[in-house]
Amino acid sequence: MHHRRRRQRTRNRRRLDDGSWEVRARVERFGEPGLLVLLAHGPTHGYELLERLPEVVGQERVDVGNVYRELRALEDDGLVVSEWRGDLPGPAKRTYTLTAAGESVLTSWIDSLEALREELNEFVERARKGGDHVQTTPSTPVDPAGA
């Protein structure tokens, strides 16, 4: 007896009711550079990072536990430091600050993302030259960093 293997569905594309395809290109695991970008603007407490991170990483929401795990990992690696601050309105809050090492890693992220953007632009250009059978929408710049 032959069993048909079930195909794994992708999260990046789906068939719409009209039979066309919707594809969503996105960058996975974008939390670290997003947090570093936010912290580059100055010391910030965790709740504020949670509020602002979705916009930076291009998501509707982020997982609270993942954000705090990422902050702890950044701190363990010496990229951020944190302290409890009681001088802010409301209860004491843990405030995170980017270190010099964190600034260096953020610069590396930016360089890497710029290189990726160039690779993606080349890919899109090559794909658009694929011939008349390649249906495309009007050209829009590819910006994986969402900036």
Side-chain angles (χ1 to χ4, degrees), residues 1-89:
M1 180 153 83
H2 179 71
H3 291 289
R4 191 170 171 200
R5 286 180 39 183
R6 186 174 177 183
R7 292 187 316 182
Q8 183 178 10
R9 296 206 181 260
T10 177
R11 294 177 5 187
N12 296 330
R13 74 178 147 73
R14 68 183 178 110
R15 190 178 295 270
L16 301 176
D17 291 338
D18 67 3
S20 65
W21 288 94
E22 176 184 64
V23 176
R24 181 167 182 239
R26 59 188 181 164
V27 178
E28 299 284 337
R29 307 285 185 216
F30 213 50
E32 177 177 305
L35 288 168
L36 295 175
V37 164
L38 290 172
L39 291 170
H41 295 284
T44 311
H45 60 82
Y47 184 74
E48 186 175 351
L49 291 168
L50 284 168
E51 286 183 331
R52 295 173 50 206
L53 189 60
E55 180 182 328
V56 172
V57 298
Q59 297 177 353
E60 292 181 24
R61 65 176 193 84
V62 294
D63 182 271
V64 175
N66 287 342
V67 170
Y68 282 106
R69 278 188 289 279
E70 187 69 45
L71 286 167
R72 179 64 57 204
L74 291 171
E75 191 166 20
D76 289 345
D77 290 340
L79 305 180
V80 303
V81 293
S82 70
E83 65 178 336
W84 284 100
R85 303 255 321 258
D87 59 336
L88 301 171

Side-chain angles (χ1 to χ4, degrees), residues 120-121 124-125 128 136-144:
L120 290 172
N121 284 336
V124 169
E125 186 176 323
R128 290 195 185 282
T136 60
T137 56
S139 180
T140 55
V142 175
D143 187 356

